[in-house]
Amino acid sequence: MKKRILFVTGDLEIGGTQWHLVQLLPQLLSRGIVPTVYTVMQKGRLADRLEEAGIEVIEPPFASTMRKWPQPFRRIGVILLSGCKLYGILWRRPDIVHFFLPMAYLMGGLESLFVPLRWRLMSRRSLNLYHFGHPVLAQLERRLHRAMDIIAGNSRAVIDDLRAEGVSNPKIALIYNGVDLTRFESLPERRTMREELGLRDDTFVMIMVANLLPSKGHADFLDALALIKDRLPADWYVLLAGNDYGCGADLGKQAAERGIAERVRFLGARADVPALYKAADIGILSSHQEGFSNSVIEGMAAGLPMIVTRAGGNPEAIIDQDCGVVVPARKPEVLADAILALAGDADQRRRYGVKARERVEAEFSIAACADRYARLYMSLGDDKRRSMAELADMLEASDSDADPKCAGSSGS
């Protein structure tokens, strides 16, 4: 019997959670699960991909109009218009409701308490640093946890946060993100992509794929480059791909002040990330906080040596000195040393790249990720007490089965 699952999220614009859902949900269709997506804001640019796969995506009334409203009115519109629409959808009584991202969780989770639903799930995909400065909403979220049947985290670091918030082990699931490896097949030649970007074949290219947010540590990356700009190969460039959430102008100014502006390319949001990775020599993620980064495992899938900071799930993806390098967050000088070491060692870059691809194939494919979700969903039956008893063993196994090596790092 097919499971009907309602996924509630913020939107389907380009971002980590959004890409995760776009890759995951078609996989679930082939595993006997019928997903429907409700976006509490507008559908977003990635919605077409799900609809083309036969997955219904629903947005609130007047979604395109609400985007143009001033912020206070937009917030009220979301609560009233989107909330009313979602409440009606919840009364369709799906087998499972699964909430992604804080805004969708707070609004949808509260509304779900007034509907007799079988199963309520929530996925946390970042560390809980967003609680700071919002004590009332943080307390509300903690109270909502009690009403959820299962709470999933995408890294051990996220799971630790959930436990600290009072979520008990029997209802916690660890499900790592997965990457669609088919996206990294039949890509344009490396030289072709470089020509499109105006780069020579022998240019040393670094890439960071992350939305322009303070927490992603772009400023640290630029400071690191400034420290070694005269010791890198003579012809080098940095590609920064991601939506600008207000930091772009400051980062551009910083690059100019450090004397590296002509070496830094701001590419904006891109749908051709696999091809961009193939055109690069090193991938970087200098974030201060993470849940479990899609961009890291995408870089690994492209066979790219990655340098990441020890933040959230980054060191769970990259085994330090085996398939990449792990460095402390907020330490531009250490990041600079790591970049310089790999820049001067093409053989090491190749070794790390091969190991990174092998690790993704073994641990972080979207097929493996979808299998875990499907196993979880299919175990949730009509008999709740029996399901929870069976589920307790499964969830405990999912935590202990994770690769124990991934939690450690010897990075400086």
Side-chain angles (χ1 to χ4, degrees):
M1 183 178 177
K2 292 185 179 293
K3 292 276 188 183
R4 298 178 304 115
I5 303 181
L6 174 65
F7 293 86
V8 183
T9 189
D11 58 41
L12 290 171
E13 291 294 342
I14 295 175
T17 296
Q18 293 86 341
W19 272 117
H20 176 66
L21 290 172
V22 165
Q23 294 180 90
L24 172 67
L25 300 193
Q27 292 271 333
L28 295 180
L29 265 180
S30 65
R31 290 165 171 77
I33 291 164
V34 181
T36 299
V37 180
Y38 180 75
T39 59
V40 299
M41 298 290 287
Q42 72 277 5
K43 286 183 179 181
R45 285 172 281 181
L46 297 178
D48 288 348
R49 295 172 183 251
L50 290 181
E51 291 171 333
E52 288 168 2
I55 296 168
E56 182 182 16
V57 180
I58 307 169
E59 67 180 3
F62 308 108
S64 58
T65 304
M66 275 196 292
R67 282 190 300 176
K68 302 173 184 177
W69 295 354
Q71 185 58 251
F73 297 103
R74 189 188 315 162
R75 190 174 292 115
I76 293 170
V78 169
I79 293 171
L80 295 179
L81 297 175
S82 187
C84 288
K85 180 75 172 182
L86 175 57
Y87 190 65
I89 294 172
L90 290 172
W91 273 101
R92 295 182 187 176
R93 303 285 300 279
D95 298 310
I96 299 167
V97 179
H98 196 155
F99 301 102
F100 283 79
L101 298 178
M103 179 181 178
Y105 178 43
L106 288 172
M107 188 176 80
L110 284 171
E111 290 188 354
S112 75
L113 302 181
F114 300 94
V115 181
L117 298 168
R118 288 192 186 96
W119 295 96
R120 298 174 180 85
L121 281 65
M122 182 273 272
S123 278
R124 171 75 67 75
R125 299 182 54 78
S126 68
L127 301 183
N128 64 6
L129 299 180
Y130 64 89
H131 284 174
F132 298 143
H134 304 281
V136 174
L137 294 180
Q139 185 61 32
L140 178 59
E141 192 172 273
R142 289 188 177 92
R143 289 184 178 274
L144 268 179
H145 292 345
R146 303 173 191 172
M148 297 296 113
D149 299 297
I150 305 294
I151 296 181
N154 63 350
S155 71
R156 290 182 180 274
V158 170
I159 294 295
D160 288 344
D161 273 358
L162 289 168
R163 287 180 177 140
E165 292 169 33
V167 181
S168 58
N169 278 359
K171 62 194 279 186
I172 292 179
L174 171 61
I175 304 180
Y176 285 115
N177 296 359
V179 60
D180 182 359
L181 295 174
T182 64
R183 295 179 62 217
F184 295 84
E185 299 170 0
S186 303
L187 292 173
E189 290 293 327
R190 171 185 169 96
R191 177 175 296 178
T192 301
M193 192 66 203
R194 286 189 167 218
E195 287 176 353
E196 289 183 16
L197 295 167
L199 300 171
R200 296 185 344 194
D201 192 48
D202 60 348
T203 300
F204 181 72
V205 179
M206 293 163 277
I207 184 170
M208 179 164 163
V209 178
N211 289 329
L212 304 187
L213 294 161
S215 62
K216 295 300 181 180
H218 292 84
D220 296 339
F221 185 20
L222 295 180
D223 280 343
L225 292 171
L227 292 172
I228 56 174
K229 62 183 180 181
D230 297 325
R231 289 183 285 162
L232 286 168
D235 186 23
W236 64 269
Y237 279 93
V238 171
L239 307 178
L240 300 180
N243 281 309
D244 184 358
Y245 285 101
C247 297
D250 288 340
L251 292 173
K253 181 179 178 182
Q254 179 185 355
E257 291 172 347
R258 302 296 189 272
I260 57 174
E262 72 282 359
R263 302 286 187 177
V264 180
R265 305 268 186 93
F266 293 89
L267 303 181
R270 300 283 294 236
D272 59 347
V273 167
L276 289 174
Y277 274 133
K278 188 172 181 179
D281 296 292
I282 294 179
I284 310 287
L285 187 65
S286 53
S287 48
H288 302 159
Q289 59 166 301
E290 285 291 340
F292 190 83
S293 171
N294 281 334
S295 70
V296 169
I297 57 175
E298 286 177 345
M300 295 168 71
L304 198 62
M306 299 292 297
I307 301 175
V308 302
T309 48
R310 192 178 297 111
N314 287 349
E316 296 174 50
I318 296 291
I319 301 174
D320 187 38
Q321 307 302 322
D322 178 78
C323 60
V325 181
V326 182
V327 300
R330 303 175 189 270
K331 295 285 186 179
E333 64 280 6
V334 182
L335 177 58
D337 289 342
I339 293 171
L340 200 58
L342 277 189
D345 194 339
D347 289 339
Q348 185 70 285
R349 296 200 301 271
R350 280 191 289 272
R351 284 193 291 269
Y352 283 163
V354 169
K355 286 291 193 74
R357 172 70 188 203
E358 290 174 350
R359 180 159 171 76
V360 167
E361 291 174 347
E363 302 290 341
F364 305 124
S365 71
I366 192 62
C369 176
D371 284 343
R372 286 204 174 207
Y373 275 106
R375 185 181 173 203
L376 171 62
Y377 295 144
M378 288 302 189
S379 69
L380 304 179
D382 293 333
D383 186 336
K384 200 162 202 176
R385 182 173 295 182
R386 180 178 176 183
S387 293
M388 288 303 293
E390 295 174 353
L391 198 60
D393 293 336
M394 191 196 90
L395 295 183
E396 183 177 352
S398 77
D399 191 28
S400 61
D401 286 348
D403 183 0
K405 293 184 297 180
C406 69
S409 169
S410 60
S412 57

